[in-house]
C-alpha cells in the first residue's frame, strides 16, 4: 500500500570525523522516502527552490518515488549545515536556512489521496495537522517531531498527536514531551496524548517500541531492537529518518498489522538506519539492493536471538 | 562448577529519587556472589572490619555462599556514599573510605583452590593479578575494572588483562582503555590486550558481547541484550556487578562453553541486573527465587525475539 510523506527535501553540508560534504541532497522526507521505497510505493509532499535540479530529481526517480507533490518555488531550497566532530550521537547545527520552506503550504496531489499510509516528518505541527486533515481516509498515520516544536509549539503539537497512530522520536524528546525522566512512564504519558504506539530511538543503542494496545487489539507490549555495531559511522545524518522509512515502509507492505509485523518493522527500521550511516548523505541508500537489506535483517536476528 | 570471587564487601549509603538507605550491605563481591549463587556455588575472598556482624553474614549464608575467605580485620569495613539524584545512569560519589581495604592482602582458603571459575571484581589490579596467579588451574577467568585503574594504574591493569578470558566493563571504560571512540574498534583493541571476550555494559541500554574467537574455536561474533524497561529504578547500585554474577554464574553451571551458552549468559546477566535495580541495595537479590529469574528470562526473550 502506498505511503504519502510530507517533510523537508533539502541540501545539507556535513562534517564528520570521516570527512566533509557540501550541499548534498538531504532532508527528512528524502531519507524517509528512499528507505521506504525498498518496501512499497512512496509519494512525497515537499517544497524545493530553483537550486533543485535534474540530478536531485533523478535520485527519487531511480527509486520510483512519486515526486509530483514536490513543489518548485522561487528562491533557494531548505539548507542545513552541521557537524559531528565531538560526538556521532548528536549533530552540532551551524546553520539552518529555511528558505522556501518558510512559506511552505503543503498541497496534496489528487493522485496521492488514495494513499493508505501517511508519514508526517519533522516539520511545523500546524502543517502536519493540515496534511493529516486533508487525508482523513488513511489507514495508519505516523509522525516525527523535535525539541523545538515540543518546547515552543506544544499546543499545536498536541493537536497533531491526537491524530497519530505511531510517533517516532528519540529519548530526549520522549522525556521532554512527557516531563518524566523514566522512559517507561514517559512512554505511557506520550501514548496517553494520542499515539497507540511509540518508537523511541536511542541512536547507537537502537530503539524501543511501546504499544498501548497492540494493533490487533491484544495485550500491550514492549519490543527492543539494537543498532548494528559499525566499524565506522561515516555520517549519522538521516539515520533516524531512514529508520522511520524502513519501519513504516515495511508495515505498509503487510496485509495485516500484527504484533509480529511491528517487531519485524523495528528490525527493518534499524537495518535501514545502519545503512544510512555507512556513507555520507543518501549515498548508501542510493546504492542499496533489497537483497542486501534482507541479508542485514538476518545479521540483526543473529545479533539478538538466542537460537 | 564453583566460582571464586575476589572483591569488596562493604557498607553503602545511597540516595536516589526513590529514597535513602544508610550503611546497607554492598560491595561488588556481595552483589556478584548473591547473583551468581542462583546458578552455582560461590566462594568469596574479601576483607571486612569489626562492624561486619551476624546480620550481614546471614545474607551470604542464606544463599549458601562460602565466606571462609572473608577476612575480619581490625577497623571499619569499606564504606561508600553516593547519590543518583540527577541521573540514574551514573552515581555521584560523596565519600569513599577504604578503611580495612587499604591494606587488603587477599588470602585464598585451601578449600577454594579447586574452583574452576574465577571472578576478579573491581579492585586494585595488583591484587587481581596476585589472586589470578595463585589460582593457575581455573578454567575461565573474568574480571571488571574502572576508570581510576585505567587512567592511573595502566601498566598493572594491562598485566591483569593478559590473564583474563572475559572482561566486563562499561562504554566509557571501554573507550578510555582503548583510546578509541568507536565501540567496535575499541572492543577489538581491548581484546588484543588479552581477553577473548568483552562484555560492554550500556546501563539502561543493556550490554554487548564481543568475541574475538568464540570459545568453541569457531567464528567471532557480537551479541546484544537490552536492559529491561522498568517503571521505577529504585536503586541502580550493584546492577553491573549483579549482571556479572548472572552472566558468570550461568556460564559456570554449563557443561560446555558454546556460543549459545554465552548468549544465554548475557540474558541472565541482564535479568539479574534488572532485579538489582528494583529495590535498595541487595534487598531484591535477597528475596529472589530461581523461578522468578527464569520467568524474567522469558520476558527478555519476548522483548527481543521476532517469533
Amino acid at each position: 500500500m502506498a505511503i504519502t510523506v510530507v517533510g523537508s527535501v533539502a541540501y545539507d553540508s556535513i562534517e564528520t570525523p570521516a570527512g566533509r560534504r557540501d550541499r548534498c541532497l538531504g532532508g527528512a522526507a528524502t531519507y524517509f522516502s528512499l528507505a521506504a521505497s525498498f518496501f512499497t510505493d512512496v509519494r512525497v509532499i515537499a517544497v524545493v527552490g530553483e537550486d533543485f535540479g535534474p540530478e536531485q530529481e533523478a535520485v527519487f526517480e531511480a527509486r520510483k518515488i512519486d515526486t509530483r507533490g514536490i513543489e518548485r518555488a522561487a528562491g533557494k531550497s531548505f539548507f542545513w549545515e552541521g557537524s559531528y566532530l565531538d560526538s556521532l550521537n548528536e549533530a552540532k547545527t551551524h546553520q539552518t536556512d529555511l528558505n522556501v520552506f518558510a512559506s511552505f503550504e503543503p498541497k496534496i496531489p489528487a493522485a496521492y489521496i488514495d494513499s493508505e499510509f501517511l508519514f508526517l516528518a519533522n516539520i511545523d505541527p500546524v502543517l502536519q495537522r493540515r496534511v493529516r486533515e486533508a487525508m482523513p481516509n488513511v489507514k495508519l498515520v505516523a509522525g516525527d517531531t523535535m525539541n523545538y516544536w515540543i518546547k515552543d509549539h506544544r499546543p499545536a503539537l498536541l493537536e497533531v498527536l491526537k491524530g497519530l497512530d505511531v510517533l517516532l522520536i528519540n529519548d530526549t524528546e520522549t522525556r521532554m514531551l512527557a516531563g518524566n525522566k523514566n522512559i517507561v512512564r514517559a512512554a505511557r504519558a506520550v501514548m496517553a496524548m494520542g499515539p497507540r504506539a511509540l518508537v523511541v530511538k536511542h541512536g547507537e543503542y537502537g530503539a524501543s517500541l511501546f504499544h498501548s494496545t497492540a494493533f490487533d487489539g491484544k495485550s500491550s507490549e514492549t519490543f527492543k531492537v539494537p543498532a548494528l555495531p559499525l566499524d565506522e559511522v561515516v555520517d549519522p545524518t538521516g539515520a533516524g529518518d531512514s529508520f522511520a522509512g524502513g519501519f513504516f515502509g515495511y508495515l505498509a507492505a503487510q496485509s495485516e498489522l500484527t504484533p509480529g509485523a511491528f517487531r519485524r518493522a523495528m528490525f527493518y527500521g534499524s537495518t535501514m538506519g545502519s545503512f544510512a550511516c555507512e556513507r555520507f548523505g543518501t549515498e548508501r541508500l542510493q546504492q542499496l539492493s533489497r537483497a542486501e537489506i534482507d541479508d542485514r535483517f538476518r545479521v540483526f536476528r543473529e545479533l539478538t536471538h538466542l537460537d
Side-chain angles (χ1 to χ4, degrees), chain A:
Chain A
M1 285 174 281
I3 299 175
T4 286
V5 50
V6 58
S8 58
V9 172
Y11 286 101
D12 292 340
S13 288
I14 303 159
E15 191 170 9
T16 83
R20 188 179 166 85
R21 287 291 185 283
D22 281 306
R23 293 186 60 76
C24 57
L25 179 64
T30 305
Y31 284 103
F32 177 92
S33 56
L34 287 174
S37 72
F38 290 93
F39 303 93
T40 193
D41 293 337
V42 184
R43 301 152 171 181
V44 188
I45 299 172
V47 62
V48 294
E50 294 149 331
D51 50 3
F52 187 85
E55 197 189 326
Q56 286 74 42
E57 179 72 42
V59 172
F60 292 88
E61 265 169 23
R63 296 288 327 142
K64 301 196 194 318
I65 296 163
D66 193 331
T67 57
R68 283 176 289 179
I70 301 186
E71 183 191 339
R72 315 299 167 110
K76 284 183 166 184
S77 299
F78 184 24
F79 172 74
W80 177 80
E81 182 171 354
S83 66
Y84 303 84
L85 297 181
D86 293 332
S87 164
L88 285 160
N89 286 319
E90 204 175 358
K92 191 169 171 182
T93 292
H94 300 299
Q95 199 174 334
T96 306
D97 299 334
L98 286 178
N99 295 329
V100 295
F101 227 82
S103 52
F104 180 37
E105 286 288 342
K107 292 163 201 72
I108 298 151
Y112 286 18
I113 291 292
D114 66 351
S115 304
E116 284 168 293
F117 283 69
L118 174 62
F119 187 74
L120 308 170
N122 169 32
I123 51 170
D124 186 337
V126 170
L127 303 183
Q128 290 181 315
R129 188 180 174 197
R130 214 169 288 162
V131 174
R132 172 70 185 92
E133 286 175 350
M135 298 182 72
N137 299 322
V138 291
K139 183 174 158 189
L140 202 74
V141 190
D144 188 5
T145 191
M146 69 184 288
N147 50 3
Y148 173 68
W149 310 116
I150 296 171
K151 260 187 4 205
D152 298 339
H153 296 256
R154 194 175 175 90
L157 179 60
L158 291 178
E159 283 304 312
V160 173
L161 294 183
K162 286 182 195 166
L164 280 193
D165 296 299
V166 187
L167 177 67
L168 296 97
I169 49 180
N170 69 29
D171 293 76
T172 311
E173 291 155 357
T174 305
R175 294 186 163 112
M176 189 187 285
L177 182 55
N180 195 320
K181 280 188 188 177
N182 178 285
I183 203 72
V184 181
R185 294 187 187 185
R188 211 176 287 139
V190 168
M191 289 187 289
M193 298 172 189
R196 283 184 290 163
L198 172 68
V199 176
V200 183
K201 294 173 285 181
H202 312 306
E204 67 169 315
Y205 298 114
S208 299
L209 167 70
F210 297 93
H211 263 188
S212 54
T213 45
F215 281 56
D216 63 350
K218 287 186 196 149
S219 65
S220 68
E221 72 160 20
T222 306
F223 189 66
K224 293 262 189 181
V225 64
L228 192 71
L230 290 172
D231 250 49
E232 185 180 29
V233 173
V234 171
D235 173 17
T237 309
D241 299 311
S242 303
F243 184 110
F247 174 84
F248 209 52
Y250 178 79
L251 282 181
Q254 305 312 302
S255 53
E256 267 192 288
L257 296 178
T258 61
F262 271 83
R263 289 168 172 232
R264 288 187 299 275
M266 290 290 284
F267 267 61
Y268 277 111
S270 205
T271 292
M272 298 312 290
S274 74
F275 281 123
C277 295
E278 288 183 351
R279 293 197 209 150
F280 273 98
T282 58
E283 288 171 21
R284 186 69 180 99
L285 297 184
Q286 289 180 54
Q287 301 292 327
L288 203 54
S289 71
R290 179 63 195 253
E292 284 178 300
I293 293 169
D294 289 328
D295 279 350
R296 183 154 298 182
F297 181 93
R298 283 186 284 273
V299 170
F300 271 88
R301 175 185 266 276
E302 190 66 21
L303 190 66
T304 53
H305 281 50
L306 288 169
D307 308 302

